[in-house]
Amino acid sequence: MKVPFFDYEEIYKTDYPVYKDSLDSVLRRADFILRDDLRDFELHLARYMNAKFCIGVGNGTDAIWLALKAAGIDKGDEVILPSHTYVATADAVWAVGATPVLVDIENDHLISPSAIEEAITERTRAVIPVNLNGKAARLDLIGEIADKKDLVVIEDNAQGLGAKLNGKSAGTFGLGASLSFYPAKILGCLGDGGGVVTNDDDFAEAIRLLRSHGRDSENLVVSWGFNSRLDNLQAAVLDAKLKTLDQDIEKRRKIAEVYFQELSEVDELVLPQHNEGDYDHFDSYQNYEIEAKNRDELKMYLSEKGIGTIIQWGGKAVHEFGLHGVVTRDLTNTTRIVSRMLLLPMNQYMPLEHAIYVSEIIKDFYSSKSL
Ligand SMILES: *Cc1c(COP(=O)(O)O)cnc(C)c1O
């Protein structure tokens, strides 16, 4: 049996019928930039998250830096973020000229609220919690900390679409949040795409101006801006795929359930928990990130058995890239976890039998090691 980590050709075959008509319709109308398909998708996605606005932008990285820019984050400001994230989160801070301050994560692999508190200085202006692996960070606590210190919260929600905390969508807790529609994301398009989500009218208007040369609805230039728009064609594809998103998330949660049933007795592993402590998480499982003893050997063993796995960010946290100008705090958990973490195959396209097979091979690996 072969279980690829992500099979782009299979995804194309499965999804093409879903968006074929939308694609043809856009092409026939030649509606390419800032057209109705984009406005419809923005409306539908905002509604899906129970947010007021979604503004389509070029990609998920642009979404974060445009949000920081719209929030007025500038040179000399410090922005707190977890070191266990895609370098994109830190890139966005660098892009507005601010200083990335990298802090630790907790056992759930998400930014630690107490580490945020300890990292605040008189120059801190913003916090970027990252809703990693389809799980909401402790956005309630982080919001309280931020309010007390008058900090802006911008969520990196590139991996958090569909996740909820206490019934509220990840991506609707801060002033703004990013979304990524990179093909491997839970809601992926046919290339690059992203969005900014917000409940704030002025912030939404600022993002709309920034994404298209500072032009208002009459096409008059009223401020500085850039060009970072979600293509109308991509929006049409995404709008069609959005209709099955809840179904896709249910499928991912079923796969997670299989992994949990099959692997929770394996002492050499730490699995993602449905809930940690006293709060209510609904996870969308963008990724299934485990911690594994003898991680690299396990990865090799799985690969020999035809199973694809991935180590996020090449096994390096942001503080390990040696980038210029970052500030680092205590990163004990991060350093330990990134040396042990591994993503098992997880997507809505894979049959449940694949998850059972993967689990069996993992159990084989550890029982052969204990002989
Ligand atoms: C994918 C991702 C991004 C960036 O999104 P792009 O659309 O590729 O620019 C940012 N942060 C995290 C955590 C991501 O996983």
Side-chain angles (χ1 to χ4, degrees):
M1 198 186 280
K2 278 236 178 305
V3 184
F5 184 78
F6 204 75
D7 186 345
Y8 281 104
E9 283 170 39
E10 185 58 37
I11 287 162
Y12 173 73
K13 266 190 270 169
T14 311
D15 283 347
Y16 183 59
V18 175
Y19 55 73
K20 178 184 181 303
D21 291 346
S22 311
L23 212 57
D24 289 345
S25 158
V26 171
L27 294 176
R28 235 180 292 112
R29 286 179 276 127
D31 273 349
F32 297 127
I33 303 285
L34 296 178
R35 307 304 296 244
D36 282 347
D37 306 82
L38 174 62
R39 283 183 276 270
D40 288 347
F41 171 63
E42 289 175 335
L43 209 69
H44 296 152
L45 190 61
R47 201 178 291 154
Y48 179 85
M49 291 176 66
N50 216 352
K52 206 160 167 191
F53 307 104
C54 170
I55 302 109
V57 299
N59 56 70
T61 311
D62 280 6
I64 311 167
W65 86 262
L66 292 172
L68 292 170
K69 188 94 189 152
I73 309 304
D74 212 336
K75 213 170 167 159
D77 296 338
E78 289 179 0
V79 178
I80 297 171
L81 64 147
S83 190
H84 180 25
T85 184
Y86 189 31
V87 71
T89 324
D91 285 339
V93 177
W94 167 80
V96 296
T99 302
V101 177
L102 303 173
V103 303
D104 215 357
I105 50 175
E106 298 196 343
N107 291 337
D108 59 4
H109 298 196
L110 304 172
I111 192 167
S112 156
S114 60
I116 293 173
E117 228 162 1
E118 285 160 23
I120 294 171
T121 71
E122 66 279 3
R123 292 170 65 187
T124 308
R125 289 280 319 281
V127 184
I128 313 180
V130 179
N131 301 318
L132 204 63
N133 299 329
K135 190 180 190 94
R138 289 307 307 266
L139 300 164
D140 48 351
L141 286 183
I142 294 166
E144 283 170 27
I145 294 166
D147 282 350
K148 251 190 291 177
K149 301 283 182 174
D150 213 12
L151 308 178
V152 172
V153 176
I154 302 293
E155 293 169 66
D156 181 347
N157 201 43
Q159 295 196 6
L161 182 58
K164 290 187 184 123
L165 178 69
N166 299 327
K168 187 171 143 105
S169 291
T172 62
F173 285 77
L175 174 61
S178 69
L179 290 171
S180 168
F181 308 120
Y182 185 84
K185 299 286 155 86
I186 254 180
L187 181 63
C189 66
L190 309 177
D192 277 313
V196 177
V197 175
T198 184
N199 286 321
D200 186 289
D201 292 68
D202 295 336
F203 184 81
E205 184 55 19
I207 297 287
R208 270 187 223 107
L209 291 172
L210 284 172
R211 79 164 168 184
S212 193
H213 308 293
R215 287 179 307 186
D216 69 7
S217 51
E218 256 84 71
N219 261 338
L220 276 172
V221 174
V222 296
S223 69
W224 288 110
F226 306 90
N227 180 358
S228 181
R229 300 176 297 226
L230 178 64
D231 288 349
N232 195 63
L233 190 68
Q234 299 289 1
V237 167
L238 289 164
D239 202 36
K241 287 182 72 177
L242 181 58
K243 297 190 177 73
T244 64
L245 181 58
D246 276 334
Q247 231 171 287
D248 296 341
I249 290 171
E250 263 329 296
K251 178 73 188 296
R252 285 171 180 266
R253 287 168 60 83
K254 283 213 177 85
I255 291 164
E257 194 56 37
V258 170
Y259 282 140
F260 191 76
Q261 293 301 328
E262 299 289 320
L263 296 172
S264 53
E265 310 275 273
V266 181
D267 291 339
E268 291 89 345
L269 301 179
V270 179
L271 305 180
Q273 293 297 313
H274 304 283
N275 287 298
E276 293 241 347
D278 58 352
Y279 55 103
D280 173 30
H281 268 270
F282 179 90
D283 301 341
S284 58
Y285 292 100
Q286 165 66 55
N287 297 311
Y288 196 81
E289 187 167 68
I290 63 168
E291 292 168 48
K293 193 177 169 192
N294 302 114
R295 189 260 324 258
D296 294 339
E297 254 182 279
L298 172 65
K299 184 176 178 25
M300 196 113 70
Y301 188 81
L302 290 169
S303 162
E304 281 160 13
K305 304 282 178 184
I307 297 166
T309 57
I310 279 186
I311 300 171
Q312 284 205 96
W313 347 117
K316 277 196 159 94
V318 176
H319 73 280
E320 294 170 327
F321 291 125
L323 290 168
H324 181 71
V326 298
V327 172
T328 56
R329 312 295 289 206
D330 174 36
L331 294 162
T332 311
N333 283 342
T334 306
T335 308
R336 187 190 77 248
I337 287 170
V338 297
S339 71
R340 290 165 44 83
M341 67 189 186
L342 186 68
L343 298 185
L344 300 185
M346 165 60 80
N347 55 71
Q348 60 265 26
Y349 309 91
M350 72 188 254
L352 294 180
E353 299 78 66
H354 280 192
I356 294 171
Y357 175 69
V358 171
S359 304
E360 275 165 7
I361 302 297
I362 291 174
K363 284 188 274 194
D364 284 353
F365 172 75
Y366 286 116
S367 57
S368 70
K369 285 206 75 78
S370 62
L371 287 179

